[in-house]
Amino acid sequence: MKKPTAEERRHRCTRKRRYRSQGDALDAALLAGVERHRTAYLCPLCGLWHLSGKQAGGS
Ligand SMILES: [Zn+2]
């Protein structure tokens, strides 16, 4: 697998909504009704939280 470049990683950060805390991120997922499919992670680039899609079914 190709590793994401720094540019791609920055994009992944700037294109996403940022949340001040994990709770904020999960609240937003809850409101959108997608909490089962999202997980919050702490972004190393901006130090805030983003929501990430959970992979269903492993592999
Ligand atoms: Zn970020």
Side-chain angles (χ1 to χ4, degrees):
M1 285 301 271
K2 187 168 90 68
K3 279 177 79 173
T5 65
E7 180 75 7
E8 284 167 344
R9 256 182 297 162
R10 192 162 42 230
H11 246 131
R12 217 171 280 177
C13 171
T14 55
R15 287 178 57 205
K16 284 192 171 194
R17 274 196 82 150
R18 284 167 225 174
Y19 303 95
R20 281 171 305 162
S21 69
Q22 184 179 29
D24 277 5
L26 294 177
D27 271 359
L30 199 68
L31 285 174
V34 295
E35 75 279 6
R36 284 158 196 259
H37 311 289
R38 295 286 185 275
T39 183
Y41 68 94
L42 185 58
C43 177
L45 292 176
C46 64
L48 295 173
W49 292 79
H50 299 296
L51 288 172
S52 164
K54 237 182 241 173
Q55 296 295 327
S59 118

